[in-house]
Amino acid sequence: MAPLSWRHHTLLQALLSRSPLADPDFHAVFAAASDRDSATHQPLFNDTLLKINKDLAYLQFELRACINQYDGMVYYGVVNNIADEESKLGTKYSVPQIAFYKGLLEAIVQEAGNDGSITSIDALNVRLDNQVIIVDGSQDSQSRLPTSITNFSLTQKEKTLDELIQDRWLSYTSTGKIGLGTRSFLDLRSWFRGNDIPSCMVCNEACIKASSCPNDECNVRIHEYCQRKKFSQRKASRGCPGCGTEWPRQDGEAGDDDDVNEPGEDEAPSANHSSRKRRKQVKAELVEENNNTGPSTAVPRSRTLRSAKAEAIEAAQEASSAGASQATRTSKRRKK
């Protein structure tokens, strides 16, 4: 097998030093290294990632993409395929810090509202003793916990929380709560599956932040970005894939009748609006005139409509002629 080229090394170096990389940033690095746009050279982009992953497999590493479930953005990073949380956190964090992270992880994924986040107060109240396994199951196991666990103070929790957010294992959500970070979404895919975290019916990835079926007896969950993709078609059925119950719309999601009155692709909205407005004005003037002159001189309805239409056309032609004359005068002044 041919060795990796400097282009492959450039991508790897960018990921190792700046990981995780957002989708636009990663594609920009690829374009700079290969002198090719990934949008128009998708096969080359895929082959590049495949070759990198073949070499990384010897080290049990993988170049992987994930979606941040809080903002729907795609991120790329190099992850460790060994399925244990401690190895993924590496050697930077101490034993009590790792236990604290595991406690936060469980609290976030078990959050009852499917919001995938907890408050800062709840985060600081996470207990560490539940994350330490004592081989001897005697009743006195609590007293034999390591002192580093029992003495882990509130100040140490606050400091660790800040470090986990800075390293993107955790993150602040748009509501100011504590949620998982992009590195957790990248590295903990196997952990999510091994702990029976409910998966999305559309993409089959773990549902940390997702919407639930309104039917209490149905367990279907769908990510918000998957929901937008699945129900994006105007005529698409909004029935739950599991039970058929109509899926509720998200805040700000357009309804079927939102653009009924919008002009078509070949129509000019401003021109049509002005034309309709002008016709209404002409009709109103004619009606008022008829009312003032009395029934004996009233104009028949058919003639009224024809007159209104004729005046509207004449007004449009005058506006067009005025615009053309203005353009001609402007052109002559420029020539002079």
Side-chain angles (χ1 to χ4, degrees), residues 182-201:
T182 51
R183 294 188 69 179
S184 292
F185 287 119
L186 276 170
D187 280 62
L188 299 182
R189 182 179 296 171
S190 59
W191 186 90
F192 294 145
R193 293 173 179 172
N195 286 269
D196 297 327
I197 305 301
S199 59
C200 173
M201 181 63 72

Side-chain angles (χ1 to χ4, degrees), residues 11-65:
L11 285 174
L12 278 174
Q13 182 62 36
L15 288 173
L16 292 174
S17 60
R18 299 158 54 191
S19 179
L21 275 179
D23 184 71
D25 297 331
F26 184 69
H27 283 270
V29 174
F30 172 81
S34 63
D35 198 24
R36 298 288 189 277
D37 186 359
S38 59
T40 55
H41 294 80
Q42 190 65 38
L44 176 61
F45 178 76
N46 295 336
D47 291 342
T48 301
L49 300 192
L50 180 61
K51 183 171 178 56
I52 291 176
N53 272 331
K54 284 183 177 179
D55 281 47
L56 290 179
Y58 291 103
L59 301 174
Q60 293 183 313
F61 281 84
E62 178 187 357
L63 194 164
R64 181 184 296 173

